[in-house]
Amino acid sequence: MLRFILRRLGVSALILVLGSVFLFFITVFSGDPLEDLRESRDRNREQLMAARTRNMNLEEPWYVRYWMWVVGVGKCAALRCDLGLDSRGADIGTALMNAAGSTLRLVTLATALAIIIGITMGILAAIRQYSGFDYIVTFAAFLFFSLPVFWVAVLLKEYGAIRFNNWIADPSVSLTAAIIIGVLFGLVLASLLGGDLRRKLITFAVSALVAFGAVTYFDQVDWWRQPALGLGLIILIALGAAVLLTYLTVGRGNMKILYAGLTTIAVGVVGTFIFSGWIEAPTYPLLLLMLAISVASAIIIGWFWGGWDKSIAIWVSIGTAVAFAGATGLDQLLRNWGPFLDRKARPISTIGSGSPNFEGPFWTGVWDWGVQLILPTIVLTVISLASYSRYTRASMLETIRQDYVRTARSKGLSERVVITKHALRNALIPITTIVAFDFAGLIGGAVVTESVFGWKGMGAMFQEGLTRVDPGPVMAFYLVTGTAAVLMNMIADISYAFLDPRIRT
C-alpha cells in the first residue's frame, strides 16, 4: 500500500508540473498585459508601464518567468512561499491566502452537506426502490443536475435574499402557506417511511397536522425573529441521535448501549448549567475545550456501560454527545438571531462574504459570518447533490443484489445488519472516487457562483488574472485546485483500503 501511494504521488506530481507548464504558457500568450496602458492618455503612462513590466517580469522570456514561479513555489516547503507580484504590484501570496480561505470555507461546507444529504437520500431511495420517495428523489436529482448554476444563483438572490429580507422585517405566514407546508411535509414523510396505504395515510395526516401546528404556533409567538430550541428540544434531539445510533449498531440486542447514550444526555444537561457562562459568551478555544470535555466524558461513560461492546458503546456515546453539543450551540445561535437583526435589519446580503466593519458579540458575529454562506452553499450543494444521490442509489442497488447479501438474509440476519454491515460498506467504495473529484471540481465550479454572489475568493482571483493576462493569480488558483485534486485522490486511495481490506495487498 505504501509503495502504491508513493507511486501515485510521483505520477500526480508529474501531472501537476506538466499542467502548470501548459497553463502558464497559454495564459502568457492569451493577450497583451499592457494593452490597457498602451491606450491610456495618462501623463504617467510610461511609468505605469514600466512598473507593471517590472512587477510581472515581462522583460524575461516566458520559460524564465515560469522557472521564477516554480522557485517561489518551492520555497513553500520552508513556509516562505514567494508567488511574486500581480499586475498592480500586490503580493499574490497574501491575496491567495485570503481568497483560498474564503473559497475553501464555502466549498468544504457545501461538500460536507452534499455528501451527508446525497448519500443518505441515495441509500433510502435504493432501499425503497420504486416508492414515492424514490420517484421524488429521482425527479429532484435530474432537475437539479440540469439547472444552470448562474440561473439558480440568481433565483436564490431574488427569493433567498431580497424577498426574505423584506419578509423578515415583519414576518407572518398565511393560512394557505401553512397548509401547503403541512401537506408537503406530510407527503415527504409518508413516502419516506413507506408501508401499506393505511399506514401512509396515518403518517401523512399526523405529520401534516404537526407541521401545520408548528408553523402556526411559530407565527403566533413571533418565533421567526426570536427563535430558540430550549432544553427540552435539545434533549429530544440528543435522544433521537442515541436511539438511531443504537439501532444502527446493535439494534435492540444490547440495551446497555442505549443506557450509555441516555447517561451521556444526563451528563450533558448537567454540563449546560455548569458551563452556562462559557456557552452564552464563548470564544473558539472555549468551544473546542467544551467539545473536548464532552467527548472525554462520553468515552468514560461508554467504557463504563459497554461491557463486551465497549467500543460500540463509546462511539454511540460520542455521537450522542456531539449531537447534544451541536443542538446546544444551535440553540444559542438561534437566541442571538434577534440581536443580530437589531444590528443588521436586512441580514442576508446579495453581494460579499460578510459585512464590513461589523462588530458584535460572538454569536452575532457567527451570524454575520454564516448567513453569507447560506445562498452560495445551497447552489454548490444542489449541484453535487444530484450526482451523490444517483451514484449511491445505483451502487446500493447493485450491492444488495449480490450473492453474499442474499446469503446474509438467508442466515436470518436482520435487515438493519444486512444493510449497514454488509451492503453499505461495499456500496460506498465507488462513491469515494466521486467525492475526491467533486471536491476539486467544486473549487473550479465556484468561479461562477462567486461571480454571482460577489465573493472575493479563488474565482475572482482566477478571473482577474485572465482578464489582465497575468499568470500569477491564475497559477495561484491552479496551485490550490491542483493540490486539492492530488490530496483528495490520495484520500480516496486510502479510503479504498479501509473499506475493502483486499486492496491493501
Side-chain angles (χ1 to χ4, degrees):
M1 188 64 189
L2 179 61
R3 189 183 303 114
F4 171 75
I5 292 176
L6 292 176
R7 185 167 61 249
R8 285 295 303 273
L9 279 176
V11 173
S12 300
L14 178 62
I15 292 174
L16 280 176
V17 172
L18 294 178
S20 66
V21 173
F22 177 73
L23 184 60
F24 195 95
F25 178 82
I26 62 175
T27 303
V28 167
F29 291 98
S30 63
D32 183 8
L34 299 176
E35 181 178 3
D36 59 324
L37 294 179
R38 296 184 197 279
E39 299 174 355
S40 175
R41 296 184 179 181
D42 291 341
R43 295 180 178 179
N44 60 342
R45 185 187 68 171
E46 297 299 330
Q47 289 83 353
L48 293 175
M49 292 178 64
R52 183 175 296 182
T53 301
R54 183 174 60 256
N55 292 333
M56 298 177 62
N57 298 306
L58 296 179
E59 70 281 357
E60 302 289 348
W62 74 269
Y63 49 86
V64 175
R65 296 168 62 191
Y66 173 77
W67 178 250
M68 295 170 66
W69 178 80
V70 171
V71 172
V73 172
K75 295 179 180 179
C76 292
L79 302 178
R80 293 186 295 106
C81 295
D82 183 13
L83 302 181
L85 304 177
D86 63 10
S87 58
R88 295 173 299 182
D91 182 64
I92 297 178
T94 303
L96 175 62
M97 293 297 294
N98 296 330
S102 180
T103 297
L104 292 178
R105 174 178 55 161
L106 174 62
V107 172
T108 302
L109 180 60
T111 303
L113 290 175
I115 292 173
I116 295 172
I117 300 174
I119 291 180
T120 301
M121 291 173 60
I123 293 171
L124 294 175
I127 295 174
R128 301 196 176 279
Q129 187 182 16
Y130 303 132
S131 64
F133 180 78
D134 184 24
Y135 288 129
I136 292 174
V137 171
T138 301
F139 173 76
F142 284 113
L143 176 64
F144 294 154
F145 189 77
S146 304
L147 293 177
V149 177
F150 63 89
W151 185 71
V152 177
V154 171
L155 284 181
L156 282 175
K157 285 180 67 173
E158 173 65 24
Y159 292 96
I162 298 174
R163 299 201 180 187
F164 175 80
N165 289 335
N166 295 335
W167 176 80
I168 199 64
D170 186 18
S172 63
V173 179
S174 64
L175 180 62
T176 303
I179 293 174
I180 293 175
I181 293 172
V183 170
L184 292 177
F185 183 78
L187 288 174
V188 172
L189 198 60
S191 63
L192 177 61
L193 297 180
D196 54 21
L197 180 60
R198 179 174 177 272
R199 179 179 176 181
K200 288 181 179 179
L201 290 175
I202 294 175
T203 303
F204 167 76
V206 173
S207 56
L209 286 175
V210 170
F212 174 79
V215 171
T216 304
Y217 172 77
F218 289 160
D219 197 50
Q220 293 297 319
V221 300
D222 197 25
W223 191 87
W224 314 116
R225 290 186 63 89
Q226 297 176 343
L229 293 180
L231 184 59
L233 193 54
I234 293 174
I235 294 174
L236 285 178
I237 293 174
L239 181 61
V243 173
L244 178 63
L245 292 173
T246 302
Y247 176 77
L248 290 176
T249 52
V250 297
R252 291 174 291 181
N254 188 352
M255 295 303 294
K256 287 187 176 182
I257 305 298
L258 180 59
Y259 296 156
L262 296 178
T263 306
T264 303
I265 295 174
V267 173
V269 172
V270 176
T272 55
F273 292 101
I274 297 176
F275 299 105
S276 59
W278 287 7
I279 296 173
E280 294 174 0
T283 60
Y284 285 110
L286 281 180
L287 287 179
L288 292 176
L289 177 60
M290 287 187 287
L291 181 61
I293 294 174
S294 300
V295 172
S297 302
I299 293 174
I300 295 173
I301 294 171
W303 183 86
F304 177 79
W305 279 107
W308 295 105
D309 292 325
K310 279 186 171 56
S311 60
I312 296 177
I314 288 173
W315 283 113
V316 169
S317 298
I318 292 175
T320 305
V322 171
F324 190 97
T328 303
L330 179 60
D331 177 61
Q332 286 297 319
L333 193 61
L334 291 176
R335 291 178 186 276
N336 284 270
W337 172 248
F340 174 68
L341 290 179
D342 294 336
R343 295 173 179 270
K344 189 176 180 182
R346 300 184 67 82
I348 300 182
S349 303
T350 56
I351 295 178
S353 57
S355 303
N357 303 321
F358 181 87
E359 295 181 0
F362 177 84
W363 291 113
T364 55
V366 173
W367 271 119
D368 180 66
W369 178 83
V371 290
Q372 309 308 325
L373 278 172
I374 295 176
L375 299 185
T377 297
I378 290 175
V379 174
L380 295 179
T381 301
V382 163
I383 295 172
S384 302
L385 201 62
S387 58
Y388 282 129
S389 61
R390 299 309 296 169
Y391 276 112
T392 303
R393 179 184 182 274
S395 181
M396 195 71 181
L397 286 175
E398 182 181 359
T399 303
I400 61 180
R401 291 169 181 161
Q402 298 296 319
D403 291 338
Y404 66 87
V405 175
R406 285 195 291 267
T407 302
R409 286 197 177 102
S410 66
K411 290 165 59 178
L413 297 178
S414 65
E415 191 67 13
R416 175 192 61 82
V417 175
V418 172
I419 294 298
T420 58
K421 293 190 177 181
H422 293 271
L424 179 58
R425 183 169 180 173
N426 291 288
L428 290 178
I429 294 177
I431 309 302
T432 55
T433 303
I434 307 300
V435 173
F437 283 102
D438 188 66
F439 183 82
L442 274 181
I443 297 179
V447 173
V448 177
T449 305
E450 290 179 0
S451 299
V452 176
F453 289 102
W455 273 59
K456 296 298 182 181
M458 299 293 297
M461 173 180 284
F462 181 75
Q463 281 189 320
E464 183 178 345
L466 289 180
T467 303
R468 295 177 176 271
V469 197
D470 186 355
V474 176
M475 298 306 295
F477 176 86
Y478 176 80
L479 182 64
V480 174
T481 55
T483 304
V486 170
L487 290 179
M488 293 304 295
N489 275 279
M490 195 55 54
I491 293 174
D493 292 335
I494 297 173
S495 300
Y496 291 152
F498 173 76
L499 294 170
D500 189 352
R502 294 174 299 179
I503 298 178
R504 298 173 188 172
T505 58

